[in-house]
Amino acid sequence: MGNGKFAKEFAKGIILANPVFVLALGLCPTLAISTSIDNALGMTLAVLIVLLGSNIIIALIRNFVPNITRIPIFIVIIATLVTVVNLIFHAYLPATYEALGIFLPLIVVNCIILGRAEAFASKNPVASSIADALGITVGFMLALLMISFIRQVLGTGGLSVFGHDLFTLPGLRDHPIAIFILPYGAFLVIGLLMGLFRRTGVMKNE
Amino acid sequence: MPAKKSSTLKNAFPIILLTIVVTVCVSILTFVDSLTRDKISAQEDEAVKALLSEMFPGMSHFEYQDEIYTIYADGDQIGYAFLAVGNGYGGDINILVGLEDETTIKGITIASQSETPGLGTRIAEPAFTDQFAGLAISDVSLSRDGGQIDAITSSTISSSAVVEAVSQTAMEKVKQLKENQ
Amino acid sequence: MNELFAVFLGMVLINNFILVRFLGLCPFFGVSKQLNSAISMGVAVTFVMAVSSLATWLIRHYILIPLDIEYMNIVIFILVIATLVQIIELFIKKTNLGLYFSFGIYLPLITTNCAVLGITLINTNQDYSLSGSLVAALGGGLGFTLVLAMMSGIREKLEMANTPKSMKGLPIAFITAALLGLAFVGFSGII
């Protein structure tokens, strides 16, 4: 496989098939944990490990798996990877583990993971599946970072990443626009961003 | 016969494959669990110890019995601590409460919570928790109810969840301590 | 009894599965275009949530905890849910074809609905009793159905409204959900 194809599979996930803004997949974690950049990065790391692992394994075994047991096998593999990530996060990244809460185990039913397994990795060789996983994860990460940035800055009046205060907005610090950090703000931000992307033609309508 | 045998094998293949996959997965999980288990429990112990020694700076060691931590400084007993669970807006709020003696609060620390970020989470900030230090247990209630604690603006549910959990659990634990003596 | 009622009310109105906990969003935006299908979907999800809560509670307390293999819970729970959904689907198909066509078709989707795995994990995290788990599941399911139905009613009307072209479909649905969520804040003082 040439570099060109690898690059194409990689780039596709970022804009044209952005999992969040275009495909509207993986919405639950996107909305729930996009309250801070820290959480967004933690979630991205977890999704990266699981998606990369499941895409590689499924691309490797795709020729042996009979159709009838395909889904159960995929689910077992994904659930195992998620449990491994859970245990590792619990042991080595306890703060992130706490912050992500049930959305860490819920990666099992994240439509992005099973969706890519079904639609891509079960039909393509390992190399393209790796490119696909990386592209989709970067697309997911960009969407998460964008939403988290807006919510954290407007909702708390400043930006701090892993305990380092990067900047504060003087007026907003004391009177943050709380709705952005509240659950409802997540819906508002993602709806407006999606509309904006369509209006400017960056992403196409469904 | 050979034809039939191979078709039976073919029919059984999915089940065999599934069994193999499950076995492999279970083995991997057992292995990862054995690697991380000690680390996870050590992590939790460390976290408790760190919280306790922050609350009782002179602490040398502590004993844990009947859900009460008894804090010692070189043989002298300097206080008690216990966990209180508040029913917050986003789920349980776990609060570590320290007692100086059987009537006075030493301080509180929010050990874990899942309140609304930026609003309810401010119960964990010193501006709120420091209000508890040195209070008599009977004075632990919100100022709107005639107590000494000012609730966080626009996070009344989270604030009163903490206050209620602290005062109720403190009273229970003091009773328990007196019975034990 | 009082506590169970508080759990129930909290699940339905305050920590609503869709609006506050963000569980079950895929069907929320996918299915909530028509009132009828929204209600059928809601009932199916609630049913599976209740049965799964019951099954996973028993498995957790009689198998996982005694054997000290709680770390397996994610794998086991998702397999239990997938199996239950299959059994329920077969059962309905064999016994009541009308029922099958009204909500059986949503069943396969439910395995990967995070509301179902979500409620089993919430029950585990909160360490609810058996009755508590069931009440939480029913409350969560009812809250899910309620919001799904309200949303579909609004979206049916929105079809007729003059929405800007780039906001049509999903974007305006998100904004609607935000406003609906804000309206639900009013319930937060109840318990």
Side-chain angles (χ1 to χ4, degrees), chain C residues 32-92:
Chain C
S32 67
K33 286 177 188 154
Q34 282 174 332
L35 187 59
N36 281 340
S37 50
I39 292 178
S40 300
M41 177 75 177
V43 172
V45 169
T46 310
F47 184 63
V48 176
M49 277 169 72
V51 180
S52 309
S53 294
L54 190 70
T56 53
W57 192 92
L58 293 173
I59 290 175
R60 177 163 177 260
H61 284 261
Y62 291 103
I63 300 177
L64 298 185
I65 294 179
L67 290 179
D68 196 23
I69 50 167
E70 266 205 90
Y71 59 90
M72 297 263 185
N73 65 1
I74 304 171
V75 180
I76 309 252
F77 285 7
I78 188 74
L79 287 179
V80 167
I81 292 169
T83 316
L84 277 176
V85 168
Q86 288 280 322
I87 294 173
I88 295 170
E89 194 189 348
L90 272 178
F91 182 75
I92 297 180

Side-chain angles (χ1 to χ4, degrees), chain B residues 63-70 80-84 96-97 169 172-173 176-177 180:
Chain B
E63 276 169 13
Y64 183 60
Q65 202 190 357
D66 295 335
E67 300 185 339
I68 295 181
Y69 299 93
T70 310
Y80 308 98
F82 50 85
L83 212 57
L96 187 72
V97 184
T169 320
E172 279 164 29
K173 295 293 173 189
Q176 189 186 332
L177 283 171
N180 287 352

